[in-house]
Amino acid sequence: MDINADTNHAAWDAVSEKYWREYDDLLAKARVGDSLVEVEREVLTPLLAGGPDVVHLQSGDGIDDHALVRAGARSVVGVDYSHRAAAASARRAADLDVPVRYVVARIPETPLADASADLVYTGKGALIWMTDLDAWATEIARILRPGGHLFVYDGHPAFALWSWDEDEARIRPDRGYFAPTYPCDSYPANGAIEHQWNLGQVVNAVVRAGLPVRHLGEHPEPFWKMGELEAAAWQGRLPNTFSLLAGPR
Ligand SMILES: C[S@@+](CC[C@H](N)C(=O)[O-])C[C@H]1O[C@@H](n2cnc3c(N)ncnc32)[C@H](O)[C@@H]1O
């Protein structure tokens, strides 16, 4: 199944209107600044203690940028190709007067300078939208300073396989761990096509870009749930997220 980058981009820009509709709620969440999950706090606390300049690839709603600053980041640059997402996040950063700014770019290309970040942070629904993992990892290695790290906390590649049945976890008949792509039938939908990168492909792309893997974790909790749904597949028996720390070169 071909990935049409323009269709995916349009789907994200359309749903990102929600960041304006929900502006006040997101502003309140940003003020609290506690959106990092446990494994993010465990792995990132020592790095954030050094006051790094962070780049957040696919910054989306931008809420994590406030948590990163609160945990010690000296600055955060969010990169997203949705103008609406970036503009809503930039308005909030100005309202809260924090050292966070946004650039609009279609990753893997970014307008960021070589060796300009100490930490590249990404995930929570990011890698499934990348069409070329080697180009993605190479761009990350380019913008990292010597001594810099990449941190990913994202959906586990198996997450897409589980049905959302509440009585019992089942494997969806229309998905495969090694299938390259599948249509997005949840969010943002609207014709978007997701990439089914498996864990080996992610790790190998990072290593090929020259970033040694320091930590790889698989976790039962999903990073996202559809509304109030509590699928049996999310109750602790199956992997739903992974975390990865790589670098320095
Ligand atoms: C699931 S969302 C958000 C992830 C974000 N970490 C969050 O928690 O809000 C994925 C984001 O990736 C962005 N995106 C997808 N493909 C992209 C690309 N090639 N370049 C830049 N942004 C992209 C979308 O606009 C969307 O904001």
Side-chain angles (χ1 to χ4, degrees):
M1 190 176 304
D2 274 351
I3 295 224
N4 182 335
D6 291 333
T7 304
N8 283 4
H9 192 162
W12 272 113
D13 224 16
V15 297
S16 297
E17 179 61 32
K18 111 197 221 2
Y19 302 141
W20 286 107
R21 282 197 311 276
E22 297 171 6
Y23 187 82
D24 291 344
D25 288 348
L26 290 169
L27 184 66
K29 264 194 199 165
R31 276 206 174 92
V32 176
D34 67 350
S35 59
L36 299 181
V37 304
E38 193 179 337
V39 66
E40 292 184 290
R41 290 195 302 273
E42 272 171 28
V43 177
L44 290 177
T45 295
L47 300 178
L48 291 168
D53 291 316
V54 179
V55 168
H56 180 180
L57 294 180
Q58 297 173 253
S59 46
D61 65 19
I63 289 300
D64 288 325
D65 303 331
H66 297 269
L68 290 165
V69 167
R70 177 171 273 248
R74 183 167 66 163
S75 68
V76 180
V77 179
V79 184
D80 202 285
Y81 68 7
S82 165
H83 290 262
R84 287 179 171 145
S89 298
R91 156 90 178 273
R92 187 177 54 241
D95 283 353
L96 296 180
D97 193 22
V98 287
V100 178
R101 67 182 180 90
Y102 293 88
V103 296
V104 175
R106 185 180 282 187
I107 302 160
E109 283 82 34
T110 76
L112 305 174
D114 291 356
S116 53
D118 302 301
L119 173 65
V120 170
Y121 168 90
T122 190
K124 298 182 183 169
L127 294 194
I128 49 175
W129 304 109
M130 293 295 97
T131 53
D132 181 341
L133 277 191
D134 279 318
W136 166 82
T138 301
E139 180 68 357
I140 290 168
R142 182 186 72 75
I143 61 182
L144 278 176
R145 293 186 178 125
H149 292 85
L150 162 67
F151 178 78
V152 183
Y153 170 70
D154 213 339
H156 193 286
F159 174 79
L161 269 56
W162 316 138
S163 75
W164 291 355
D165 298 320
E166 294 187 286
D167 61 333
E168 187 185 321
R170 297 180 179 86
I171 296 179
R172 289 178 57 145
D174 60 337
R175 301 264 172 98
Y177 192 72
F178 300 102
T181 58
Y182 55 89
C184 171
D185 55 13
S186 54
Y187 188 83
N190 291 314
I193 302 291
E194 302 183 22
H195 236 294
Q196 173 68 20
W197 299 114
N198 61 55
L199 220 40
Q201 289 172 309
V202 175
V203 168
N204 287 328
V206 169
V207 170
R208 272 196 296 269
L211 299 169
V213 173
R214 307 283 173 193
H215 155 93
L216 180 65
E218 296 175 281
H219 316 289
E221 310 80 20
F223 72 86
W224 175 83
K225 294 178 182 175
M226 187 76 162
E228 302 296 306
L229 195 75
E230 287 297 346
W234 305 339
Q235 305 308 316
R237 292 176 52 220
L238 296 169
N240 284 295
T241 41
F242 77 97
S243 54
L244 176 149
L245 180 71
R249 270 173 284 169

